Amino acid sequence: MPTSDSRDVFDDAIKRLDRAFGYARIDEEALEKLKHPKAILQVSIPLRMDDGSLRIFEGYRVRHDDTRGPTKGGIRYHPNVNLDEVMALAFWMTIKCAVVGIPYGGAKGGITVNPKELSRLELERLSRGFIRQMADFLGPDTDIPAPDVYTNPMVMGWMMDEYSKIARRHTPAVITGKPVELGGSLGRDDATGRGAFYCIQELEKRNGWKPEEVRVAVQGFGNAGQALAGLLHEARYKIVAVSDSTGGIYEPAGFDVPSLVRFKNESRKLKAVYCHDSVCEVIDARQITNEELLTLDVDLLVPAALENQITAENVEQIKAPVIVELANGPTSSEADAALGDRHTLVVPDVLANAGGVVVSYFEWTQNKQGFYWTLEEVHQRLAAIMTREFNSVYDFAEEHGIDMRTAAYAHALNRIGTSIEALGTQHYFNEQTPPVRSST
Ligand code: NAD
């Protein structure tokens, strides 16, 4: 467990900036600015438990950079949440919003808690307590949270409701990922997985893949992993392995994903149980560990759980030639270098999982307008952004002979750099001015 002042994850995350700097048009001052989060708030949240006792939980919110707009990023509930992790996640949000060209900076928040140990009433009180402590830090034009690991639409609804009470006005645009009945957007539930699916469809076109021949392993079977696995299954990809925090299952012939999703969500267990009417059959899939899943002989590997899963320790055993990062930060920078040497194609998190924040942006836009879109409109607009930005990053990588992560960072730095420079850098103030570039 990292100490409260360790910065290993954040320092590893910002290493990517230096690598991308050589390919980006950004002033060194602007780059330096991105190595320091704009603001950090740490709070202690007292929670009255159902048995009458009092427990105190640590909560964090980091606003990384707001040059391009209000900051945006999820709230995670997990026992390992710490400031270092939240800083890294906030940094990735700044890059991600710039990669897909939406008018936000990056933020992230979290509470160090195992939500599985709390009752529903305790969870509601904790979520509302977090907002009471954070209210001055948040706002629809300053910082806008969303769901992340182990938080869901209902948690977002409680948070929006608490904020609205404090602000004494209905404020749906303060948070995204809300239930549709409380101002959420249609299509937000599967947006992260769907965004990655649109990226994979572009890979399919460019590489002439036949979906039924592509074997896929998905680590993490929550919101993001389930949605992508479901869409790939529908498109006839073969999902041969999935896992959750308790371990995984492997079936070389491929799983019926809707049955896995149904059983997991009804029983909280990952098991291949296929039901037709009231008759259910248990498929004898091989039990595997999360470590084994990562090293399976598959064509496409999708880490969709937590950060630091592919590291210097296991990278040599990774066999998949293509990795699509649905989780944030699943690959350490050391592992990244090794994958690059082996020409493994990695579609990086800041692009592959950006569908969630894109539809969060749509939700915020709809809340501000008070005018709501159809599901088809949401899908069309999401597809347009994801395919446009995927192809820009892919072409940039090919043009410069670099990996897609470096290309995505350079693409983002070009956008962030022009915004920072528009406010003036040393060149302007020293009057050696290169003219301000217009952004793409
Ligand atoms: P979730 O809480 O819905 O699901 C997380 C899943 O990961 C669960 O199946 C859980 O059992 C599993 N898991 C937890 N620890 C694990 C471990 N050690 N090994 C394997 N599996 C483990 O969360 P989510 O929203 O699907 O988020 C998953 C990842 O996607 C995170 O990295 C998150 O930051 C990222 N992400 C999510 C969104 C979103 O909109 N939900 C957007 C962008 C990125």
Side-chain angles (χ1 to χ4, degrees):
M1 184 81 171
T3 59
S4 59
D5 56 358
S6 81
R7 295 184 17 139
D8 300 347
V9 186
F10 181 70
D11 286 342
D12 193 57
I14 60 174
K15 274 187 197 157
R16 265 90 183 229
L17 285 178
D18 292 321
R19 177 148 167 67
F21 180 64
Y23 302 95
R25 293 171 282 114
I26 184 169
D27 187 273
E28 262 179 69
E29 273 189 355
L31 192 79
E32 184 58 27
K33 188 165 178 266
L34 294 175
K35 295 183 178 174
H36 305 271
K38 177 188 169 78
I40 295 174
L41 182 60
Q42 179 171 354
V43 296
S44 302
I45 311 159
L47 175 66
R48 183 65 63 193
M49 308 298 286
D50 291 345
D51 67 2
S53 64
L54 186 78
R55 281 182 64 188
I56 312 284
F57 293 89
E58 295 305 308
Y60 305 89
R61 186 79 187 162
V62 174
R63 300 185 62 213
H64 174 260
D65 181 77
D66 67 349
T67 313
R68 301 184 70 255
T71 50
K72 185 91 191 76
I75 297 175
R76 175 175 294 193
Y77 288 177
H78 194 277
N80 293 345
V81 163
N82 61 78
L83 182 57
D84 180 28
E85 178 187 73
V86 179
M87 279 164 58
L89 288 161
F91 162 74
W92 286 320
M93 286 306 298
T94 300
I95 301 294
K96 193 183 302 180
C97 293
V99 168
V100 288
I102 57 175
Y104 288 137
K108 204 79 179 192
I111 304 180
T112 313
V113 58
N114 182 352
K116 294 177 190 168
E117 289 172 357
L118 299 187
S119 73
R120 290 179 181 185
L121 281 169
E122 287 166 344
L123 199 63
E124 179 182 358
R125 289 197 290 273
L126 182 69
S127 304
R128 289 181 182 275
F130 178 83
I131 291 299
R132 281 197 296 279
Q133 303 264 28
M134 293 277 169
D136 292 336
F137 212 59
L138 312 174
D141 299 311
T142 42
D143 182 30
I144 309 142
D148 192 73
V149 173
Y150 296 153
T151 52
N152 59 24
M154 184 170 260
V155 174
M156 298 302 110
W158 292 330
M159 290 184 167
M160 183 275 282
D161 185 55
E162 193 65 26
Y163 183 88
S164 296
K165 282 182 185 147
I166 294 165
R168 302 186 79 76
R169 63 179 66 85
H170 189 59
T171 319
V174 70
I175 209 156
T176 60
K178 301 178 293 292
V180 172
E181 300 74 16
L182 294 176
S185 176
L186 294 173
R188 177 62 185 87
D189 49 356
D190 72 354
T192 302
R194 184 173 288 275
F197 176 66
Y198 293 142
C199 293
I200 293 170
Q201 282 190 316
E202 292 308 295
L203 282 175
E204 181 187 308
K205 280 187 220 153
R206 283 178 176 258
N207 296 295
W209 288 352
K210 293 200 177 77
E212 58 281 8
E213 291 173 5
V214 179
R215 297 159 304 156
V216 187
V218 181
Q219 185 206 36
F221 206 55
N223 172 303
Q226 285 185 11
L228 177 60
L231 288 163
L232 287 174
H233 175 79
E234 241 176 78
R236 299 196 299 130
Y237 282 77
K238 216 191 258 187
I239 312 298
V240 297
V242 295
S243 68
D244 66 11
S245 59
T246 62
I249 46 177
Y250 175 54
E251 169 51 59
F255 287 113
D256 178 57
V257 177
S259 297
L260 294 186
V261 170
R262 205 172 305 121
F263 193 78
K264 166 85 183 163
N265 295 341
E266 280 168 9
S267 69
R268 296 197 173 183
K269 291 198 179 76
L270 191 57
K271 209 169 168 189
V273 180
Y274 299 174
C275 297
H276 303 284
D277 300 323
S278 57
V279 182
C280 293
E281 179 194 3
V282 182
I283 305 298
D284 189 20
R286 198 177 108 202
Q287 302 287 321
I288 54 170
T289 63
N290 267 295
E291 292 70 36
E292 283 175 275
L293 180 138
L294 293 172
T295 59
L296 286 174
D297 175 19
V298 290
D299 306 294
L300 173 58
L301 174 63
V302 181
L306 297 171
E307 52 273 6
N308 270 332
Q309 299 300 302
I310 303 174
T311 63
E313 277 79 63
N314 64 2
V315 68
E316 293 309 327
Q317 282 92 57
I318 305 283
K319 299 181 193 70
V322 182
I323 299 176
V324 173
E325 294 183 337
L326 203 51
N328 282 307
T331 312
S332 74
S333 59
E334 271 177 309
D336 224 11
L339 292 171
D341 292 344
R342 285 185 355 219
H343 304 290
T344 303
L345 176 66
V346 180
V347 183
D349 49 4
V350 290
L351 172 64
N353 71 29
V357 74
V358 170
V359 178
S360 274
Y361 166 53
F362 296 164
E363 180 174 334
W364 178 78
T365 307
Q366 293 169 73
N367 292 152
K368 284 189 156 254
Q369 291 179 336
F371 180 72
Y372 288 83
W373 308 351
T374 63
L375 185 61
E376 289 67 37
E377 284 171 313
V378 170
H379 287 172
Q380 267 169 19
R381 288 177 163 134
L382 175 63
I385 292 179
M386 293 305 299
T387 48
R388 183 187 71 214
E389 302 301 334
F390 175 89
N391 286 310
S392 298
V393 171
Y394 196 99
D395 291 342
F396 193 107
E398 286 214 318
E399 189 186 324
H400 295 273
I402 54 177
D403 59 273
M404 280 191 81
R405 191 186 315 279
T406 308
Y409 273 64
H411 182 59
L413 288 182
N414 284 340
R415 285 187 170 135
I416 301 168
T418 47
S419 303
I420 294 179
E421 283 171 38
L423 295 171
T425 62
Q426 55 180 326
H427 298 291
Y428 174 78
F429 293 109
N430 292 341
E431 293 183 13
Q432 334 150 349
T433 326
V436 173
R437 299 182 297 250
S438 61
S439 71
T440 48

